[in-house]
Amino acid sequence: MSSSPITIATSPPTPPAINTNFVLPSTSPLSAGFGDRYNRRISVNLGSSDNVRHPKVLHPVDNEGLRLLILENISQEAVAVFTAQGFRVDHFAKAMTEDELVAKIPEYHAIGIRSKTKITERVIKAAPKLLAIGCFCIGTNQVDLITAAKAGIPVFNSPFSNSRSVAELVISEIIALSRQLFQRAYEMRTGVWNKQSKGCWEIRGKTLGIVGYGHIGAQLSVLAESFGMRVLFYDVVNIMPLGSARQVPKLSNLLAEADFVTLHVPELKETTKMISTKELLQMKRGSYLINNARGQVIDIPALVEAVKSGHIAGAAIDVFPMEPGANNVPFDNQVNSWAAELCALPNVILTPHIGGSTEEAQRMIGEEVAAALTSYLNYGSSYGAVNFPEVDLRAISADQSNHIRICHVHKNQPGVLKQVNEVLSPYNVEKQYSDSKGDVAYLMADIADVSQADVNKLRAIISKTPANILTRLLA
């Protein structure tokens, strides 16, 4: 069973209108590449001015409060952002199982998770009120993105904020592996004095191979060169390198040249067990392998054999196919069948998924994802969503008291905009923007001179259009 919530906010605002009888469109694949690169809007701070109209905070047109479920001990800074908006927040330190989520999630309008909680199709179908999902981490593979999009639920993440933390961890692992630091430290703790230089190297002049040259890979490249390392990288797209780094055309080219190989790729069908027996044999004898990406990208039993044979001199692993759901839980063969054998290997660094676990990174992640969720819930802006059309409109100003914003998620099919605009034709549409992604489209429109009776009528009519998935009105 899950633990009791440790933070509950009060004073909720009025909540959104939610259509729970939406029709799901057909599934379409979502594409992704190495490095988790996503476009981001550039913000410009114009400063304060008495002549600039202040934006109006929009409130959902309904009588029920917005409730947020926040799991996995997400930073208190994020919780503070939500409570400042008046949202009701239930904050839990641990992850939840699928069964726990299915029982819990029907009452919530948004959920915030890290990497351990899985938002499956079953969970999404059990969440009739759910409007948005926030992944307080880089990856989003723990969420069924396609099902979420079909249900009109954008998923937000933080692809930048912990890049530096992971890059610094990799540098520390490279040095620790090359000096057998963890092995010597363990021996000292057991009372063994074993001063030696055999198999210990400086990293200056060595070659680092980076697989996935995204935000983390690029930062790591710069740090490694400052240590005097030569940097090669492999990615599925052509990328302009930083510094003197060089892109190689094939993964096998990188493996053959690198003294250290580090992985920074998302978990996809193409990357699952991308490093197995064949690839390990392609690596230089005496080289090192580092994985701070996703647990499935390495065939760990194959790595165990490669380290035992001496072909691989050491490894550092921060992520695993299966991980305990909470702290102080054993990491043993009941979690992964090869755990004991892996733990017994010399010069192998094992850490409990701490790549981005610095206070600076968690604070920035909390602020970024909380801001994205708040912007969507309050204003309808889907900018930064990874599975959803990115749509935004400039804010309604505080003096526009009779304006409302329509947020209409619908099937991406011909004739929808004509139907909606016919409904809006008696009103003054001040601004409108729509976009689509796969089978899902999203329309935002601001209309003026709307009475309360008009609000109820518009919501009822638009929600009943054949292509409707979810319609909210913000006023």
Side-chain angles (χ1 to χ4, degrees):
M1 297 297 292
S2 60
S3 61
S4 300
I6 58 178
T7 302
I8 299 180
T10 57
S11 303
T14 51
I18 303 168
N19 171 30
T20 61
N21 296 316
F22 48 78
V23 179
L24 300 181
S26 59
T27 299
S28 65
L30 298 176
S31 61
F34 288 174
D36 286 334
R37 291 174 292 275
Y38 301 107
N39 293 326
R40 281 291 192 247
R41 178 178 51 176
I42 299 174
S43 299
V44 180
N45 184 2
L46 300 178
S48 60
S49 170
D50 293 337
N51 297 323
V52 178
R53 294 188 299 174
H54 297 289
K56 176 185 177 184
V57 175
L58 300 178
H59 296 285
V61 181
D62 210 312
N63 296 319
E64 186 185 6
L66 285 177
R67 297 193 63 182
L68 277 64
L69 177 62
I70 306 300
L71 305 178
E72 300 188 62
N73 204 27
I74 289 167
S75 73
Q76 288 294 330
E77 285 82 359
V79 175
V81 171
F82 296 134
T83 56
Q85 296 294 318
F87 301 151
R88 296 175 60 189
V89 181
D90 291 346
H91 186 205
F92 294 82
K94 296 182 179 181
M96 286 189 179
T97 66
E98 184 181 58
D99 288 340
E100 289 173 329
L101 281 173
V102 168
K104 194 82 173 175
I105 205 167
E107 58 188 298
Y108 292 99
H109 300 93
I111 183 171
I113 62 172
R114 293 178 72 182
S115 58
K116 291 185 176 65
T117 303
K118 310 299 182 185
I119 307 295
T120 63
E121 179 179 5
R122 179 177 169 229
V123 172
I124 293 170
K125 288 183 176 180
K129 296 180 181 179
L130 196 62
L131 298 173
I133 298 170
C135 295
F136 287 74
C137 51
I138 288 181
T140 56
N141 59 289
Q142 69 274 42
V143 179
D144 186 333
L145 297 176
I146 296 176
T147 299
K150 291 194 299 181
I153 301 170
V155 177
F156 301 94
N157 72 330
S158 179
F160 305 104
S161 296
N162 70 355
S163 300
R164 180 71 180 198
S165 295
V166 177
E168 288 187 3
L169 178 64
V170 174
I171 290 294
S172 72
E173 290 168 336
I174 290 171
I175 295 172
L177 288 171
S178 65
R179 300 295 298 273
Q180 300 179 12
L181 180 61
F182 276 61
Q183 194 170 342
R184 298 289 88 77
Y186 174 77
E187 290 167 349
M188 284 292 293
R189 287 182 176 273
T190 58
V192 176
W193 182 274
N194 186 21
K195 180 181 178 180
Q196 66 171 354
S197 59
K198 183 179 180 180
C200 296
W201 315 96
E202 294 180 359
I203 68 171
R204 178 182 55 177
K206 303 301 186 296
T207 299
L208 174 64
I210 301 173
V211 182
Y213 202 72
H215 307 304
I216 296 171
Q219 285 210 32
L220 175 59
S221 173
V222 174
L223 291 176
E225 286 197 351
S226 71
F227 279 85
M229 300 188 78
R230 171 175 171 256
V231 177
L232 306 176
F233 69 92
Y234 169 73
D235 204 293
V236 293
V237 297
N238 291 325
I239 303 173
M240 179 178 290
L242 300 179
S244 300
R246 176 170 63 88
Q247 186 167 9
V248 295
K250 296 180 180 180
L251 176 61
S252 58
N253 300 137
L254 181 145
L255 298 176
E257 292 190 55
D259 299 297
F260 297 86
V261 175
T262 179
L263 307 176
H264 302 283
V265 299
E267 187 173 298
L268 307 169
K269 180 180 179 181
E270 296 81 3
T271 62
T272 299
K273 293 188 178 180
M274 67 181 301
I275 303 296
S276 190
T277 301
K278 174 185 173 182
E279 291 74 24
L280 290 164
L281 290 174
Q282 291 173 343
M283 292 175 63
K284 294 170 63 175
R285 185 172 184 84
S287 59
Y288 304 84
L289 179 63
I290 299 170
N291 183 23
N292 291 284
R294 286 291 179 260
Q296 297 284 359
V297 301
I298 289 181
D299 181 351
I300 293 185
L303 174 63
V304 169
E305 293 304 315
V307 174
K308 283 184 174 181
S309 71
H311 185 75
I312 300 298
I317 305 176
D318 185 53
V319 288
F320 305 90
M322 299 296 294
E323 298 177 354
N327 290 337
N328 301 315
V329 174
F331 180 76
D332 53 23
N333 284 12
Q334 291 186 350
V335 179
N336 293 289
S337 60
W338 33 255
E341 197 172 9
L342 177 68
C343 292
L345 293 177
N347 205 28
V348 171
I349 302 170
L350 304 177
T351 49
H353 207 146
I354 61 171
S357 296
T358 62
E359 291 191 9
E360 297 92 341
Q362 291 307 305
R363 182 176 62 253
M364 289 189 291
I365 289 171
E367 292 171 352
E368 181 178 358
V369 180
L373 285 173
T374 298
S375 183
Y376 182 72
L377 295 173
N378 280 345
Y379 301 101
S381 172
S382 61
Y383 241 94
V386 302
N387 67 327
F388 199 78
E390 293 185 276
V391 175
D392 194 13
L393 287 179
R394 70 180 183 274
I396 295 175
S397 62
D399 59 346
Q400 295 173 312
S401 58
N402 62 344
H403 287 54
I404 69 167
R405 173 163 290 179
I406 297 170
C407 303
H408 178 51
V409 186
H410 56 274
K411 296 178 184 179
N412 183 22
Q413 62 187 39
V416 175
L417 294 183
K418 178 181 178 182
Q419 291 177 337
V420 174
N421 284 323
E422 285 177 352
V423 176
L424 302 181
S425 60
Y427 306 92
N428 179 25
V429 180
E430 293 215 337
K431 49 188 180 288
Q432 183 182 83
Y433 180 42
S434 68
D435 197 4
S436 62
K437 187 169 187 175
D439 290 340
V440 176
Y442 183 38
L443 165 72
M444 291 177 66
D446 290 350
I447 57 178
D449 303 320
V450 184
S451 68
Q452 184 59 45
D454 292 334
V455 169
N456 295 330
K457 181 176 68 174
L458 284 169
R459 181 174 57 189
I461 295 174
I462 296 175
S463 295
K464 291 179 181 178
T465 54
N468 179 74
I469 295 176
L470 186 149
T471 298
R472 291 194 299 151
L473 269 65
L474 305 175

